[in-house]
Amino acid sequence: MILKKESTINRRKNYFIKKDFQLSFILKFCTILLAGIIISTLLLILLSRGTLTSSFENSQLTIKNTAAAILPSILLCNLLTLGLLTIVTIVLTLLVSHKLAGPMFRFQKEIEKMGAGNLTQKIQLRDKDQIESLAKSLDSMRGSLKEKIQTIRSDVAMILNTASSHDAPQEVVEQLKHLQQQVENNFKV
């Protein structure tokens, strides 16, 4: 069973959970944004090549190549757009990657605990966390492993009792006790 805690109780304070992943995610989006602005500027200059534009500068009519006339305005507009969109992109990608990296970080910790034999904890997600189906599958696996370990414990105890009550060789009884101790030491269910 997946437990959902209220977001006010389990709210993450640190938005950089998997810094390498999140930084790479942000840089890729910003690179795409920069490439788009460069391509649009180059296309505008290329398409306006060979045309003339008239303008008034200092009370004089000036005729210039269109690309040269609009280049300063294009650069200023693109720099402002790039700055604003970069800030928006960083914030949005940080929030999106946080929604992915947080549960992934939690899953990694839970899997490490399971690998160490601790099968007692259920996976807890905050409200609106992504990849809930993965959490359900992981929790189902944990529950299944827990049941199997409990069955093994029960079977080993039953075999040990049977071996002890039927005068089995001491070596067999000792090996069964050792097996029982290994199960107890390696799994927390």
Side-chain angles (χ1 to χ4, degrees), residues 21-183:
F21 166 74
Q22 289 175 296
L23 186 61
S24 170
F25 197 66
I26 289 169
L27 287 177
K28 286 176 186 173
F29 272 84
C30 287
T31 302
I32 291 169
L33 179 65
L34 180 62
I37 286 178
I38 290 171
I39 289 170
S40 68
T41 301
L42 291 175
L43 281 174
L44 188 58
I45 290 172
L46 182 68
L47 294 173
S48 66
R49 201 179 69 190
T51 61
L52 296 176
T53 299
S54 62
S55 65
F56 282 99
E57 292 178 12
N58 299 323
S59 299
Q60 294 181 356
L61 178 63
T62 308
I63 298 176
K64 292 182 181 176
N65 179 318
T66 302
I70 64 173
L71 185 61
S73 296
I74 291 173
L75 291 177
L76 179 63
C77 181
N78 281 347
L79 286 175
L80 290 173
T81 303
L82 179 63
L84 289 173
L85 288 179
T86 298
I87 291 169
V88 169
T89 300
I90 288 172
V91 170
L92 287 177
T93 54
L94 182 60
L95 292 174
V96 168
S97 66
H98 177 73
K99 285 288 199 178
L100 294 173
M104 298 282 273
F105 180 76
R106 189 174 307 116
F107 291 151
Q108 180 182 356
K109 294 300 177 192
E110 292 299 324
I111 290 170
E112 288 171 1
K113 287 177 187 177
M114 284 184 208
N118 184 352
L119 303 175
T120 59
Q121 286 187 311
K122 295 189 184 305
I123 298 168
Q124 296 179 346
L125 292 178
R126 294 178 308 133
D127 286 340
K128 299 180 184 176
D129 266 344
Q130 303 299 315
I131 56 181
E132 189 173 350
S133 63
L134 178 61
K136 287 179 181 177
S137 296
L138 188 60
D139 199 50
S140 174
M141 179 189 76
R142 181 207 52 80
S144 176
L145 286 172
K146 184 177 178 178
E147 287 176 15
K148 289 175 183 177
I149 296 299
Q150 288 172 334
T151 301
I152 291 171
R153 268 187 182 166
S154 173
D155 290 349
V156 168
M158 185 178 67
I159 293 169
L160 182 59
N161 284 339
T162 303
S164 296
S165 66
H166 287 90
D167 295 327
Q170 187 61 28
E171 182 179 325
V172 171
V173 173
E174 289 301 318
Q175 286 178 345
L176 286 170
K177 285 182 181 179
H178 178 71
L179 178 60
Q180 187 178 39
Q181 192 60 45
Q182 288 291 336
V183 171

Side-chain angles (χ1 to χ4, degrees), residues 4-15:
K4 288 188 177 185
K5 292 212 173 183
E6 291 188 30
S7 59
T8 55
I9 296 172
N10 242 359
R11 199 159 173 86
R12 286 187 208 109
K13 304 280 189 234
N14 184 3
Y15 279 87

